[in-house]
Amino acid sequence: MERMITQLMNERKATRQFDPNFHLAEEEVHELIEMATTSPSSSNLQPWRFIVVRDEDVRKQLRPLALNQAQIEEASAIVVIVADTRMHERVEQINRMNETSGYMTKEQADRKIERDYETYEGKSDIERFKIAMFDAGLITMSLTLAATAKGIDSGIMGGFDPEGVASLFELDEHLVPAILVALGKRREEPQQTTRLPLQDILL
Ligand SMILES: Cc1cc2nc3c(=O)[nH]c(=O)nc-3n(C[C@H](O)[C@H](O)[C@H](O)COP(=O)(O)O)c2cc1C
């Protein structure tokens, strides 16, 4: 049974101890990723790419690149969320889809393609990197909440060597590993964590 978003937000907790015997089918992971792509992104350019890691040998190579965290080998799957810093190369595809879906006229799509391509191509590498990383953060949250809704536990991991991971997966330079998300079933109750009170975060 799928639950209210506020319940899911409270329920999601960083999982670090996974049941190594719990199996998650590839289609289940794909379903979560697809659900997570409902996330917003800058100009809807969707600069997120995914590598689903399940293979044991690959995990063995990944683990030392991720502070030797046991989740890498014990979770059912690791999703590497990759930020695509050449997101404007998808502008045509995305907006032609909007056109064929009837969400835009041909003229609107033509204009948007031209404008967005120019805007993003004209940005510096660092600006595009920041945009892609921000959007990767949004989809990370959506992925973990989608997992929670399906009764799957998750752990976000930023503690890894991005260059090592890029080299392990032979990624082109414009593809930057943003975050790792471990998915599976926890084997013990999650560590509870506090949050700063509202008065300390309102400026
Ligand atoms: C960007 C980011 C990087 C993180 N990196 C790690 C990590 O490498 N290893 C880990 O065990 N937890 C990691 N976490 C999980 C946080 O420690 C956790 O979200 C935080 O302590 C709050 O706990 P909660 O998620 O259970 O509410 C990361 C979380 C985020 C958002």
Side-chain angles (χ1 to χ4, degrees):
M1 190 183 66
E2 303 201 357
R3 280 143 302 138
M4 296 257 298
I5 187 78
T6 46
Q7 270 178 286
L8 301 175
M9 290 165 83
N10 278 314
E11 203 179 294
R12 184 216 56 80
K13 283 280 143 204
T15 297
R16 299 185 177 91
Q17 266 89 43
F18 285 91
D19 174 356
N21 300 314
F22 181 74
H23 179 77
L24 206 48
E26 188 160 33
E27 306 77 67
E28 291 177 273
V29 180
H30 288 177
E31 191 191 348
L32 295 178
I33 292 173
E34 215 164 12
M35 177 48 60
T37 64
T38 55
S39 297
S41 60
S42 182
S43 301
N44 193 29
L45 291 181
Q46 307 163 51
W48 40 63
R49 310 288 173 254
F50 303 87
I51 303 168
V52 180
V53 184
R54 297 153 59 82
D55 182 86
E56 276 183 34
D57 288 342
V58 180
R59 290 168 187 256
K60 278 197 170 56
Q61 295 176 64
L62 183 58
R63 185 169 171 170
L65 298 171
L67 306 177
N68 200 31
Q69 298 185 71
Q71 304 91 295
I72 300 289
E73 289 196 82
E74 291 178 354
S76 307
I78 304 296
V79 180
V80 184
I81 301 186
V82 174
D84 187 349
T85 62
R86 291 195 61 79
M87 67 284 266
H88 48 297
E89 289 178 357
R90 293 280 178 164
V91 77
E92 169 106 30
Q93 180 188 1
I94 290 165
N95 289 293
R96 290 297 165 222
M97 283 168 75
N98 278 324
E99 183 191 332
T100 52
S101 302
Y103 302 150
M104 278 181 192
T105 62
K106 180 176 181 325
E107 292 65 39
Q108 287 172 322
D110 287 347
R111 263 202 313 277
K112 187 154 168 56
I113 290 165
E114 197 186 331
R115 201 180 49 223
D116 286 356
Y117 192 89
E118 256 179 49
T119 305
Y120 286 81
E121 157 105 305
K123 289 184 188 295
S124 66
D125 288 349
I126 187 79
E127 281 175 310
R128 284 201 303 267
F129 171 75
K130 282 190 200 163
I131 292 167
M133 291 297 275
F134 188 95
D135 292 346
L138 293 177
I139 202 161
T140 301
M141 190 70 231
S142 298
L143 181 66
T144 61
L145 290 177
T148 312
K150 297 278 179 194
I152 297 164
D153 299 308
S154 64
I156 298 171
M157 284 174 282
F160 69 94
D161 161 18
E163 277 153 28
V165 172
S167 141
L168 175 63
F169 295 106
E170 300 179 354
L171 298 177
D172 282 348
E173 214 175 301
H174 68 285
L175 296 172
V176 183
I179 203 90
L180 311 178
V181 181
L183 296 171
K185 198 47 105 195
R186 63 188 180 220
R187 46 165 212 265
E188 50 187 61
E189 282 310 298
Q191 169 77 49
Q192 292 301 315
T193 48
T194 57
R195 292 299 186 264
L196 292 168
L198 191 62
Q199 80 244 24
D200 290 356
I201 57 173
L202 289 177
L203 299 178

